[in-house]
Amino acid sequence: MFDLISRYDSQILEAFWVTIQLTVLSAVGALILGTVVAALRVSPVPVARWVGTAYVTIFRNTPLTLIIVFMSLGLYTTMGWRLAGEGPNSLAQNNFRFAVVGLSIYTASFVCESLRAGINTVPMGQSEAGRSLGFGFLQNLRLVVLPQAFRSVIAPLGSVLIALTKNSTIASAIGVAEAATLMAEMTETEAAVLAIGAIFALGFVILTLPTGLFFGWLAKKYEVSR
């Protein structure tokens, strides 16, 4: 195993760096989009609630592989949509960006449900107090409800982020050069399948374990007392 690490050290680091980039960018996108969808789901407007519910139902129950492949083959190859300019690396750049979009869209449905659960833990009196101060729905949500909701769901959001880190391997389906892609290439050229699996399993443990510990610490530090 150590011989493989010494021979592929730079490639392994580059592959996991791509995995980290996928995770961070997708996490930001999923957090923003998931918050918007959660706001739709608790909106007093019936049409907005229907849109939010439809989004969660569709994307939470659609395989991530299908979403990622559709982003590349459907939007890019068939419809000609581009997220990067033309050039020698345009295909790789487009696939990476479409992978980020696909991961964000998929993960946002889980962020939404976690955040909606947090919103439901906020006492009704808090919202009523905001309305008594003249806050509208969005203002009440932004200033009163969401700050408390986020503090209630730090640990679940950490679990979503860990799942996103592991789900980033699906990007290999459209040729994104992340950890799973390199693992497949090494498996084809090297006989030590178990050692290769151990290397990449250890790599993902190194990525996800600190994340879980950090979010666990945040949850204890900022937990809302009821």
Side-chain angles (χ1 to χ4, degrees):
M1 185 175 76
F2 293 105
D3 180 57
L4 286 171
I5 293 175
S6 64
R7 283 192 283 126
Y8 289 90
D9 55 352
S10 61
Q11 292 173 266
I12 292 173
L13 290 175
E14 290 175 6
F16 274 105
W17 173 238
V18 174
T19 296
I20 293 171
Q21 289 178 300
L22 279 173
T23 301
V24 172
L25 294 175
S26 301
V28 173
L31 184 61
I32 295 172
L33 183 57
T35 302
V36 172
V37 178
L40 292 176
R41 292 214 65 184
V42 299
S43 170
V45 181
V47 175
R49 291 199 303 271
W50 182 88
V51 171
T53 302
Y55 180 96
V56 172
T57 302
I58 292 171
F59 288 106
R60 193 172 59 170
N61 294 290
T62 301
L64 177 57
T65 304
L66 182 61
I67 295 173
I68 296 292
V69 171
F70 173 77
M71 287 288 167
S72 179
L73 298 183
L75 298 183
Y76 177 57
T77 305
T78 304
M79 301 179 64
W81 290 18
R82 292 178 176 271
L83 296 180
E86 297 183 5
N89 297 321
S90 63
L91 178 60
Q93 292 174 353
N94 274 287
N95 282 339
F96 177 85
R97 293 175 184 180
F98 274 120
V100 170
V101 173
L103 286 166
S104 299
I105 290 173
Y106 177 80
T107 308
S109 61
F110 294 92
V111 171
C112 167
E113 289 302 273
S114 296
L115 193 53
R116 188 169 70 95
I119 291 173
N120 290 335
T121 66
V122 179
M124 287 296 297
Q126 298 285 329
S127 299
E128 292 172 357
R131 286 194 293 269
S132 68
L133 294 174
F135 291 167
F137 169 73
L138 291 178
Q139 198 174 16
N140 199 13
L141 192 68
R142 179 171 59 87
L143 298 176
V144 179
V145 178
L146 282 181
Q148 298 181 69
F150 272 111
R151 291 178 64 181
S152 299
V153 295
I154 292 175
L157 288 178
S159 298
V160 171
L161 179 58
I162 290 173
L164 171 60
T165 305
K166 294 182 286 186
N167 287 340
S168 66
T169 57
I170 303 297
S172 63
I174 58 174
V176 177
E178 47 75 62
T181 305
L182 178 60
M183 180 179 174
E185 293 174 357
M186 290 175 63
T187 303
E188 291 177 359
T189 57
E190 303 287 345
V193 177
L194 292 179
I196 293 171
I199 290 170
F200 285 90
L202 178 62
F204 276 98
V205 168
I206 292 172
L207 288 182
T208 57
L209 184 59
T211 303
L213 294 174
F214 176 69
F215 274 87
W217 173 79
L218 283 180
K220 291 180 180 179
K221 184 175 179 61
Y222 296 104
E223 184 178 7
V224 179
S225 300
R226 298 298 184 196

